[in-house]
Amino acid sequence: DAGVIQSPRHEVTEMGQEVTLRCKPISGHDYLFWYRQTMMRGLELLIYFNNNVPIDDSGMPEDRFSAKMPNASFSTLKIQPSEPRDSAVYFCASSPNRGGLGDTQYFGPGTRLTVL
Amino acid sequence: RKEVEQDPGPFNVPEGATVAFNCTYSNSASQSFFWYRQDCRKEPKLLMSVYSSGNEDGRFTAQLNRASQYISLLIRDSKLSDSATYLCVVNAPMDSSYKLIFGSGTRLLVRP
């Protein structure tokens, strides 16, 4: 079975440019999570969706960040405009439909973003 | 105070050693606890869930102390392949939802 798929795997862009990260969760998983990982702050939850509906976006750092989930098999995280401090690894994860409370989260391989 | 705190390490141990990691959490309402493993430049993967009664999976033993709000992971007979960062993860109930809080991780280096 395919796991969580993320694209691109690496992205290098210049400050001010728009960046779009993509994620395909595991089929049948109702929960989708976006995380950001840096050396300084570790792994931080940005936003998560249940059945394509955003449930908690309190981790989204500012208005430059937005996330959508137009259907059960696709989600995007967009940064516009990007800044050097956004450089990090962005992970997408999905979880089965028991609410994720005690369920494993399956992570994608991540997108390594560098903003120059 | 961080919601989940771990000693960052690194713990540098020889093959065959026994090593233990601890983790403390601040939210007494937390109900689910996990250890994840993350290899260098890879994604986190679930190592094991942590149950109140404690649980064992081969060389790995996890324990939970709710009264003191800490979780432990014991690795016996360390292998070179155990070298990784171990993330303590706790769920934090919030209103009608929840979220998982990840510790910053404890780095383990197993040397020949």
Side-chain angles (χ1 to χ4, degrees):
Chain A
D1 288 341
V4 176
I5 299 171
Q6 290 187 247
S7 65
R9 295 291 305 276
H10 301 272
E11 177 81 23
V12 180
T13 190
E14 292 187 346
M15 183 174 65
Q17 296 298 305
E18 178 180 295
V19 175
T20 299
L21 311 181
R22 297 173 177 79
C23 175
K24 177 179 168 55
I26 294 172
S27 177
H29 283 193
D30 288 349
Y31 284 76
L32 183 140
F33 307 82
W34 281 102
Y35 291 89
R36 176 173 69 176
Q37 187 173 39
T38 61
M39 288 293 292
M40 291 295 294
R41 300 175 67 89
L43 197 63
E44 302 173 282
L45 177 65
L46 300 177
I47 185 171
Y48 80 91
F49 296 83
N50 178 21
N51 290 320
N52 314 338
V53 176
I55 301 300
D56 179 8
D57 65 355
S58 60
M60 296 286 264
E62 48 198 273
D63 292 345
R64 298 184 297 106
F65 285 70
S66 62
K68 294 182 179 179
M69 191 165 185
N71 58 61
S73 59
F74 183 65
S75 177
T76 60
L77 177 68
K78 187 175 293 187
I79 308 172
Q80 166 63 19
S82 57
E83 297 181 2
R85 61 193 168 118
D86 301 331
S87 297
V89 180
Y90 290 81
F91 288 106
C92 176
S94 70
S95 184
N97 60 7
R98 287 194 300 139
L101 196 68
D103 276 344
T104 302
Q105 291 188 11
Y106 298 84
F107 283 76
T111 295
R112 187 170 296 274
L113 173 65
T114 303
V115 183
L116 303 174
Chain B
R1 181 186 174 188
K2 289 184 179 179
E3 292 180 86
V4 178
E5 294 204 60
Q6 295 183 252
D7 180 343
F11 286 63
N12 191 325
V13 302
E15 270 188 292
T18 295
V19 62
F21 308 138
N22 288 329
C23 161
T24 58
Y25 62 95
S26 61
N27 191 331
S28 60
S30 296
Q31 299 173 34
S32 300
F33 310 90
F34 311 89
W35 284 101
Y36 276 67
R37 170 189 169 135
Q38 186 172 24
D39 292 296
C40 187
R41 301 179 78 84
K42 297 286 189 179
E43 71 273 21
K45 292 183 179 179
L46 179 70
L47 177 66
M48 57 197 304
S49 301
V50 187
Y51 303 120
S52 297
S53 56
N55 49 301
E56 187 174 308
D57 183 2
R59 298 182 292 108
F60 298 83
T61 300
Q63 292 195 315
L64 168 65
N65 184 318
R66 285 187 185 272
S68 300
Q69 294 182 203
Y70 81 79
I71 306 151
S72 64
L73 177 67
L74 181 78
I75 305 175
R76 291 181 299 277
D77 188 23
S78 300
K79 311 293 184 189
L80 295 176
S81 57
D82 294 333
S83 297
T85 297
Y86 291 83
L87 304 171
C88 175
V89 186
V90 175
N91 84 329
M94 42 186 298
D95 297 330
S96 59
S97 67
Y98 87 103
K99 64 181 180 181
L100 291 187
I101 308 295
F102 284 75
S104 298
T106 298
R107 191 172 172 209
L108 172 65
L109 301 173
V110 181
R111 63 181 188 270

